[in-house]
């Protein structure tokens, strides 16, 4: 099994790259999706978040109001640290469960938004960074996700710098390019990863 850490700044296009890798045959473990699962209604994770931040972070249906919570924690690094302290251990445990279920020769791609921020690079055999310019990130967040420019800049500022992400990269995928070029680059990277997986057996 080859353990791949896939990361990139918000709006860099990491989700598109992970989708393309799955099309090639990767086993995807999506930390964001797991992070939503571990704070779903009725979970100990959600109870811990409510205990830390109050019932104001709940939507009318009892689920987590993610935009509301985001507006609180991304404006205050101490509160963000509290949230991460609740969610990250739960995500880690679930990720390990899913990884252990993958086939022996699989290329397992862990989609981890905060890989650089949390010093997680040593956990993976290969780190792949999806890179885009800050201008591209900002444009995608405002135009495609409907964020205000202020919110988008705050989210970007809460993450590692572009340089810090690139420092930990074994492989960089440039996503300041048209989709066809991105698809071709992902195919190249997949061939590289498959070769590494075979060599490590």
């Amino acid at each position: 099994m080859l353990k791949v850490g896939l990361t990139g700044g918000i709006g860099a296009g990491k989700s598109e790259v992970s989708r393309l890798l799955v099309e090639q045959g990767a086993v995807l473990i999506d930390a964001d999706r797991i992070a939503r699962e571990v704070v779903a209604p009725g979970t100990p994770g959600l109870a811990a978040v409510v205990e830390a931040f109050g019932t104001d972070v709940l939507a009318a249906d009892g689920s987590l109001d993610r935009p509301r919570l985001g507006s609180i924690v991304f404006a205050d690094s101490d509160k963000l640290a509290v949230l991460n302290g609740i969610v990250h251990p739960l995500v880690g445990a679930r990720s390990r469960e899913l990884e252990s279920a993958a086939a022996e020769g699989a290329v397992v791609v862990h989609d981890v938004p905060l890989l650089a921020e949390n010093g997680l690079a040593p956990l993976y055999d290969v780190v792949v960074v999806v890179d885009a310019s800050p201008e591209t990130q900002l444009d995608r967040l405002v135009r495609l996700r409907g964020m205000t420019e202020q919110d988008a800049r705050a989210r970007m500022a809460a993450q590692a710098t572009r340089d810090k992400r690139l420092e930990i990269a074994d492989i960089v995928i440039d996503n300041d390019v048209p989709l066809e070029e991105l698809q071709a680059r992902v195919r190249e990277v997949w061939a590289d990863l498959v070769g590494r997986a075979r060599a490590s057996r």
Side-chain angles (χ1 to χ4, degrees), residues 87-143:
V87 175
H88 289 171
L90 298 170
V91 172
R94 181 66 180 136
S95 297
R96 286 188 292 276
E97 276 177 32
L98 292 170
E99 185 182 273
S100 66
E104 190 183 329
V107 175
V108 179
V109 175
H110 290 260
D111 182 332
V112 185
L114 301 179
L115 193 152
E117 291 80 349
N118 294 324
L120 302 177
L123 298 179
Y124 305 101
D125 301 313
V126 183
V127 172
V128 178
V129 172
V130 182
D131 183 54
S133 69
E135 295 77 18
T136 298
Q137 289 177 261
L138 186 64
D139 172 65
R140 287 176 181 155
L141 294 174
V142 172
R143 189 167 48 84

Side-chain angles (χ1 to χ4, degrees), residues 69-193:
L69 181 60
S71 69
I72 295 168
V73 299
F74 287 111
D76 184 327
S77 59
D78 290 339
K79 288 179 180 171
L80 182 59
V82 170
L83 178 64
N84 288 342
I86 294 167
V87 175
H88 289 171
L90 298 170
V91 172
R94 181 66 180 136
S95 297
R96 286 188 292 276
E97 276 177 32
L98 292 170
E99 185 182 273
S100 66
E104 190 183 329
V107 175
V108 179
V109 175
H110 290 260
D111 182 332
V112 185
L114 301 179
L115 193 152
E117 291 80 349
N118 294 324
L120 302 177
L123 298 179
Y124 305 101
D125 301 313
V126 183
V127 172
V128 178
V129 172
V130 182
D131 183 54
S133 69
E135 295 77 18
T136 298
Q137 289 177 261
L138 186 64
D139 172 65
R140 287 176 181 155
L141 294 174
V142 172
R143 189 167 48 84
L144 303 177
R145 296 203 200 172
M147 287 187 188
T148 65
E149 184 173 332
Q150 183 181 359
D151 273 355
R153 288 187 186 279
R155 295 291 177 102
M156 288 167 64
Q159 293 190 330
T161 63
R162 186 182 191 184
D163 287 345
K164 186 174 177 185
R165 275 192 298 273
L166 292 173
E167 270 173 28
I168 62 166
D170 297 302
I171 297 171
V172 177
I173 296 177
D174 174 15
N175 197 14
D176 270 327
V177 296
L179 182 60
E180 296 75 23
E181 285 182 42
L182 178 66
Q183 289 167 331
R185 174 65 178 138
V186 170
R187 285 193 295 273
E188 277 175 20
V189 168
W190 176 250
D192 181 347
L193 296 175

Side-chain angles (χ1 to χ4, degrees), residues 44-68:
L46 182 59
V49 170
V50 171
E51 190 175 329
F53 296 97
T55 53
D56 284 353
V57 297
L58 291 177
D61 64 358
S63 65
L64 186 62
D65 184 338
R66 296 176 72 82
R68 170 97 180 106

